[in-house]
Amino acid sequence: MIRAGARRAFPWLVWLYVASLLVQVFLAGLAIFNDPATFAVHVEFGRAVLGVMSLLLPIVAWIGRLPFVRLSAGVLLFYVFQTSLPEVRASYPVVAALHPMFALVLFWLAVRLAGQARHASRASATNPA
């Protein structure tokens, strides 16, 4: 029962993650082009919402025994690496400057994972085991 719930929830979770990444980019743009004081919202949204969701992806995939546990864990590891880049800004500004580029890679990984989840969800709906 829990496994089936995880299998049903995973595609929704991963697409919500993709949408949250888009919100995160919007918040960064809002801080850059509108009010730099709102940059804290970008940081906290990334830590709270995206952090929790990044952690949930591999857990839910594992509980559901889905075939993309490793890709989900890769998204989590990439998220951890991505969020650590601004921390080295003072010592290694060129490395920290990779933060926006790696955000694009994280978005690509998430969309790829979402596509796989959607495909697996459709396949299981048409061929119930």
Side-chain angles (χ1 to χ4, degrees), residues 11-115:
W12 291 97
L13 177 64
V14 73
W15 280 110
L16 185 60
Y17 187 76
V18 169
S20 296
L21 287 170
L22 292 174
V23 170
Q24 181 70 342
V25 171
F26 170 76
L27 292 172
L30 193 62
I32 292 168
F33 298 112
N34 185 39
D35 182 7
T38 62
F39 193 72
V41 177
H42 166 78
V43 172
E44 291 307 315
F45 183 83
R47 288 181 181 159
V49 176
L50 289 172
V52 169
M53 291 175 75
S54 295
L55 185 60
L56 284 175
L57 287 172
I59 292 171
V60 174
W62 180 75
I63 290 170
R65 294 191 180 164
L66 295 167
F68 20 82
V69 174
R70 280 196 272 177
L71 182 56
S72 299
V75 168
L76 172 61
L77 291 174
F78 207 86
Y79 165 81
V80 170
F81 180 67
Q82 160 70 7
T83 56
S84 67
L85 287 173
E87 303 302 322
V88 300
R89 177 179 38 212
S91 304
Y92 305 100
V94 174
V95 174
L98 295 172
H99 180 74
M101 185 188 75
F102 283 176
L104 291 173
V105 176
L106 184 60
F107 181 76
W108 174 77
L109 286 172
V111 169
R112 183 172 172 220
L113 181 59

